[in-house]
Amino acid sequence: MRRVISILLENEAGALSRVAGLFSARGYNIESLTVAPTDDASLSHMTIVTYGSDLVIEQITKQLNKLIDVVRLIDLTDGAYVEREMLLAKIALAKLPLSDLKVLVELFNGCIIDICQSNCTVEITGTGHRLDAFVEACGRTQIIELVRSGVSGISRGA
Amino acid sequence: MKLTGAEIVLACLKDEGVEFLFGYPGGAALHIYDAVYRQKQVRHILVRHEQGATHAADGFARATGKPGVVLVTSGPGVTNTVTGIATAFMDSIPMVVLTAQVATHLIGDDAFQEVDTVGITRPCVKHNFLVKDVNDLAMTIKKAFYIATTGRPGPVVVDIPKDVTAAQAEYLYPKSIEIRSYAPVDKGHTKQISRAVDLLLQAERPIIYTGGGVIQGGAALELAELVRELQYPCTNTLMGLGAFPASDPLFIGMLGMHGTYEANMAMYECDVMLAVGARFDDRVTGDLKLFSPRSRIIHVDVDPSSIGKNVSVEVPIVGEAAPVLREMIALVRQRKDKLVSGVIDAWWNTINAWRGINCLDYDVSDELIKPQYVVQKLFEITKGEAFVASDVGQHQMWAAQYYGFDQPRRWVNSGGLGTMGFGLPAAMGIQLAYPKMPVACITGEASIMMCIQELSTCKQYDLPIKVIALNNRYMGMVRQWQEFFYESRYSHSYMDALPDFVRLAESFGHVGMRIDKPGDVEGALKEAFDSDDRLVFMDFITDQTENVYPMIAAGAGHNEMHLKPSRHGEVHKERELA
Ligand SMILES: Cc1ncc(C[n+]2csc(CCOP(=O)(O)OP(=O)(O)O)c2C)c(N)n1
């Protein structure tokens, strides 16, 4: 099953490689991993999307918790949560006229952030599924370059 | 008063109460070595190879329960320690490894003798640090000792750049410490312990299976008390030998690949299993699908990630072995009336029938020295009281099977990583800790070659270790597998050239003996152990064809054990009975 795990990590050199190394050494899957500093300079926040059987997920969370640099770990998928991911795409205008693209981008609550003669760059934020849907709607062949940020997640409520 | 980083390192070691520092100098470590020279409290032991330093510190830690401490230089000094660090990591041994590093401004420049120490050691340490500021040095070393020795112990590396050892800072060693992201548990969950005791008391075919965690956790007395209170059978893993006295009739031997018939059969047939400080390793469980099919499992471990990793557990208890066992003992005493009298007798009858097979029986010979016989004689002559360090191979299994350990911390071997070369340096660490005690190193002619240089260290520090080489002119354990699973194609499992070990020992300044007749074994051992101020290297020329039995092939079930070939038929009969 797909899991979104949120980790508060000491902002130490090497903390990221400890987490990444754990996944490669034990053969766990990483779908995406994002990390950035928090408002407390001594901590970073990481969101990992992974998948595996319940047994594997249990091991992943236990092994992560064992890392000395991990301050707090929450499996967001255990409760209510929201997740977002950002997509940047450079889209060729040859077959998809700008007017059509504008409609599509609006439909996905995105915006056009750069434009030149033959292509333009769009930004869309949403769940992974929604981003997939946008790519589908544009048509793969129109997309010159695609960059996704990976998922960030946060729990809902108090 | 301000101290240099190098002086701070030594001050920290002194304040930690460190007695021995196992090390080897080099460029980046020179400031620290100068500080070593200028003090008297911490005794530096100069090894002959950095791997030896780590194993010696490890042996010291296993025998004493205190952390082992190592000091090496950057680059090759560090890479030479990796095997020893990984060995300690796999067996959860507390160790602090101080590694020198090139100066901070050179880090990342591929400087002379630079390696990414934190990166190279990361997968085989409990934690590691790079100290970039002399003001953080004392605190970091304090953290290293704290992390290494608490919770599930393990090795911690502290990498110290040369300029940090030259810079000065005010020295203050913190008395205690808290790390917000690290909170090892001690006591177990009371409700879970209560559930566990209820389950134990209603068992009809119980077994208590314990591992290295009971020894590392200093819980041997508690274990013995619980086992005796319940009168249940107890088995230990290779790492757990000595946690429960081997001479106690409630002990049914080691379990696992080369465990006793009765221990493995009891694991297979039991209905309630109490596992303490053990990790259901593949050498213990065999095929997980066939593992103890009818049992309900209680698992006590200080590391939550050990629980439920390989087998599913009905009552998980996260906690230190000693306090959890103490709570269990108290509850068992309160609720003992729930024990149905007589129920357990039938189970003991079954176990005793398995015992009757006498699975460790071996063929004696007046012509060839049987390796098992050497270990048995060693046991008799040392009255079971020696510290025994072992290398890896058949001799390790025979040592585990035939030397009955009655006390914890007497049996020192690399169980998890299975590191050949571990034995001799580990024995050094033990002998330094206990200068008056007999220390034996049981080894093979292949293993001993992997850290043979440490014979020189033994001479420098007058360590009267007794090296017992079971010389079968084969990498016996490899040969055994090739005989069983590769139709006796002995690919590279022997050496066409071996040294004359007697002269080799003599050239290092020790006593060498070569023993090739069974009749001489006992006399030689006596003579060696009588000379309590000399290292004696005993080269026992043993039967080349001997194999380790019983054996469960890798991936087979506990009920699929092989006894020695002349007894295969019997095993089948017993299996049907059971
Ligand atoms: C460093 C290392 N390399 C290889 C092995 C694989 N191995 C396990 S046992 C063994 C043979 C050991 O031979 P010896 O020391 O003569 O002991 P014996 O089995 O003959 O008693 C080998 C090569 C190992 N455990 N460790």
Side-chain angles (χ1 to χ4, degrees):
Chain A
M1 212 180 84
R2 179 176 178 273
R3 294 285 181 152
V4 183
I5 295 170
S6 163
I7 300 171
L8 215 52
L9 201 62
E10 293 288 354
N11 190 5
E12 296 274 354
L16 172 62
S17 59
R18 286 182 214 282
V19 174
L22 179 77
F23 276 76
S24 62
R26 293 190 182 266
Y28 304 144
N29 304 300
I30 297 189
E31 194 174 285
S32 77
L33 183 157
T34 65
V35 59
T38 63
D39 50 2
D40 176 344
S42 70
L43 292 171
S44 352
H45 188 272
M46 183 183 272
T47 309
I48 298 179
V49 179
T50 179
Y51 50 94
S53 64
D54 286 353
L55 219 79
V56 170
I57 297 295
E58 184 185 325
Q59 267 300 308
I60 291 178
T61 53
K62 283 176 168 177
Q63 294 292 347
L64 283 168
N65 261 318
K66 217 161 98 174
L67 294 177
I68 309 287
D69 284 337
V70 169
V71 179
R72 204 183 68 205
L73 178 148
I74 303 169
D75 183 346
L76 292 175
T77 358
D78 279 344
Y81 75 103
V82 277
E83 63 172 86
R84 289 291 178 270
E85 185 176 2
M86 189 172 79
L87 167 154
L88 299 175
K90 206 174 274 176
I91 296 170
L93 295 172
K95 289 204 203 113
L96 186 69
L98 187 56
S99 52
D100 290 7
L101 183 62
K102 267 173 85 174
V103 174
L104 201 58
V105 168
E106 257 168 48
L107 216 64
F108 281 86
N109 294 326
C111 55
I112 293 176
I113 53 174
D114 188 32
I115 191 155
C116 70
Q117 256 181 347
S118 59
N119 67 56
C120 71
T121 303
V122 304
E123 170 197 325
I124 316 275
T125 304
T127 62
H129 286 308
R130 249 183 102 67
L131 301 188
D132 293 342
F134 174 79
V135 170
E136 201 85 344
C138 279
R140 291 227 170 245
T141 50
Q142 267 57 256
I143 300 180
I144 301 166
E145 201 182 337
L146 184 79
V147 181
R148 291 171 72 146
S149 65
V151 168
S152 288
I154 197 164
S155 63
R156 297 176 86 139
Chain B
M1 198 182 75
K2 286 204 167 183
L3 298 183
T4 66
E7 290 163 346
I8 290 176
V9 170
L10 269 296
C12 290
L13 297 186
K14 180 180 148 242
D15 284 348
E16 257 325 305
V18 173
E19 295 157 80
F20 296 105
L21 178 58
F22 299 91
Y24 206 96
L30 285 181
H31 294 320
I32 306 180
Y33 268 88
D34 193 50
V36 169
Y37 188 89
R38 288 187 283 112
Q39 57 83 51
K40 289 220 152 49
Q41 279 91 352
V42 182
R43 186 162 170 222
H44 182 272
I45 303 298
L46 178 68
V47 294
R48 299 299 183 263
H49 184 298
E50 290 87 349
Q51 181 182 352
T54 48
H55 292 328
D58 180 326
F60 173 86
R62 290 181 204 236
T64 61
K66 298 179 214 164
V69 188
V70 174
L71 170 64
V72 295
T73 193
S74 67
V78 170
T79 52
N80 274 349
T81 64
V82 171
T83 300
I85 294 172
T87 302
F89 182 64
M90 287 295 278
D91 290 341
S92 306
I93 304 304
M95 194 150 104
V96 173
V97 182
L98 306 169
T99 59
Q101 181 56 282
V102 301
T104 40
H105 70 275
L106 292 173
I107 290 178
D109 274 3
D110 299 322
F112 176 64
Q113 295 196 327
E114 178 188 0
V115 292
D116 173 7
T117 300
V118 165
I120 284 179
T121 58
R122 197 197 61 230
C124 59
V125 293
K126 184 168 172 188
H127 198 58
N128 56 20
F129 297 96
L130 169 63
V131 185
K132 285 190 167 159
D133 182 342
V134 68
N135 293 298
D136 298 336
L137 187 54
M139 182 55 100
T140 307
I141 292 176
K142 178 79 194 177
K143 280 185 186 171
F145 276 95
Y146 176 60
I147 292 170
T149 53
T150 51
R152 180 176 180 172
V156 177
V157 167
V158 183
D159 198 27
I160 314 173
K162 189 168 186 181
D163 54 329
V164 172
T165 62
Q168 294 197 331
E170 211 57 60
Y171 174 68
L172 187 85
Y173 199 61
K175 281 221 168 52
S176 67
I177 191 166
E178 227 172 82
I179 302 176
R180 65 177 166 183
S181 56
Y182 176 70
V185 291
D186 52 357
K187 282 187 62 200
H189 198 286
T190 306
K191 261 210 194 110
Q192 291 292 83
I193 296 175
S194 170
R195 268 183 66 205
V197 168
D198 282 339
L199 189 55
L200 273 175
L201 291 176
Q202 76 196 43
E204 291 177 8
R205 298 184 311 278
I207 190 161
I208 297 175
Y209 139 59
T210 79
V214 171
I215 292 174
Q216 294 307 320
L221 287 177
E222 287 82 354
L223 174 67
E225 209 171 319
L226 180 71
V227 173
R228 285 171 185 155
E229 194 67 41
L230 288 164
Q231 294 287 308
Y232 285 179
C234 179
T235 175
N236 295 155
T237 67
L238 178 67
M239 293 311 300
L241 293 174
F244 188 76
S247 57
D248 190 304
L250 298 171
F251 185 63
I252 57 171
M254 178 171 81
L255 79 164
M257 184 173 274
H258 294 298
T260 64
Y261 189 72
E262 50 272 32
N264 285 331
M265 287 305 290
M267 286 294 278
Y268 187 78
E269 296 288 346
C270 69
D271 68 344
V272 173
M273 178 191 302
L274 168 62
V276 190
R279 58 191 177 91
F280 295 87
D281 156 272
D282 57 285
R283 285 292 188 264
V284 158
T285 62
D287 183 356
L288 283 171
K289 287 192 290 295
L290 292 172
F291 178 70
S292 199
R294 288 175 282 275
S295 70
R296 302 167 72 182
I297 299 177
I298 304 158
H299 190 181
V300 181
D301 205 289
V302 71
D303 176 4
S305 72
S306 275
I307 301 178
K309 184 169 74 175
N310 298 334
V311 299
S312 62
V313 167
E314 181 167 329
V315 188
I317 301 172
V318 179
E320 291 275 358
V324 171
L325 290 178
R326 273 198 292 274
E327 260 187 82
M328 282 189 169
I329 294 163
L331 289 181
V332 166
R333 286 194 178 130
Q334 274 171 32
R335 298 180 196 168
K336 229 177 159 182
D337 52 315
K338 293 215 185 112
L339 268 182
V340 187
S341 69
V343 168
I344 190 84
D345 299 348
W347 178 229
W348 272 115
N349 287 340
T350 312
I351 291 175
N352 287 330
W354 290 326
R355 248 182 190 160
I357 285 187
N358 203 4
C359 67
L360 292 179
D361 173 37
Y362 60 90
D363 300 320
V364 280
S365 153
D366 342 313
E367 268 151 46
L368 294 172
I369 298 180
K370 292 289 180 177
Q372 301 95 325
Y373 176 74
V374 179
V375 178
Q376 261 182 348
K377 285 291 151 198
L378 171 69
F379 173 79
E380 287 167 18
I381 283 162
T382 56
K383 303 189 190 68
E385 284 172 357
F387 283 87
V388 178
S390 148
D391 264 307
V392 172
Q394 291 182 318
H395 61 272
Q396 175 189 26
M397 294 303 135
W398 286 318
Q401 291 174 328
Y402 295 93
Y403 198 102
F405 292 93
D406 272 355
Q407 293 175 68
R409 301 197 180 282
R410 293 289 164 102
W411 165 237
V412 170
N413 84 126
S414 164
L417 199 66
T419 307
M420 289 168 70
F422 174 80
L424 179 60
M428 299 188 323
I430 303 167
Q431 189 77 78
L432 282 161
Y434 298 104
K436 297 269 174 265
M437 292 291 293
V439 177
C441 166
I442 297 186
T443 183
E445 80 291 346
S447 289
I448 193 67
M449 295 287 279
M450 286 213 182
C451 274
I452 193 83
Q453 74 285 347
E454 299 307 330
L455 282 176
S456 175
T457 312
C458 294
K459 182 65 193 169
Q460 180 166 343
Y461 299 98
D462 289 322
L463 304 177
I465 296 162
K466 306 298 175 258
V467 178
I468 293 162
L470 301 178
N471 183 350
N472 52 8
R473 283 83 71 216
Y474 272 113
M475 295 172 201
M477 192 54 97
V478 175
R479 189 201 53 74
Q480 177 167 348
W481 283 53
Q482 288 171 335
E483 178 186 331
F484 290 0
F485 310 118
Y486 299 89
E487 297 169 323
S488 298
R489 286 185 298 277
Y490 297 139
S491 177
H492 297 270
S493 50
Y494 57 92
M495 292 169 197
D496 273 334
L498 279 172
D500 175 338
F501 285 109
V502 172
R503 282 166 59 199
L504 180 135
E506 286 169 359
S507 79
F508 276 103
H510 303 303
V511 179
M513 289 182 183
R514 186 184 157 101
I515 305 98
D516 53 12
K517 287 186 208 60
D520 296 340
V521 169
E522 193 164 347
L525 283 167
K526 273 199 181 123
E527 190 186 328
F529 279 90
D530 278 346
S531 96
D532 46 10
D533 58 345
R534 295 296 296 273
L535 184 149
V536 182
F537 191 117
M538 280 164 278
D539 186 17
F540 288 98
I541 308 303
T542 59
D543 183 352
Q544 289 192 280
T545 60
E546 198 58 47
N547 288 324
V548 182
Y549 293 107
M551 176 168 182
I552 304 174
H558 275 168
N559 59 341
E560 300 173 294
M561 248 169 303
H562 296 284
L563 295 194
K564 65 180 185 182
S566 56
R567 303 188 58 183
H568 279 340
E570 281 176 63
V571 185
H572 275 281
K573 234 172 34 207
E574 270 308 313
R575 244 165 74 189
E576 279 152 21
L577 264 180

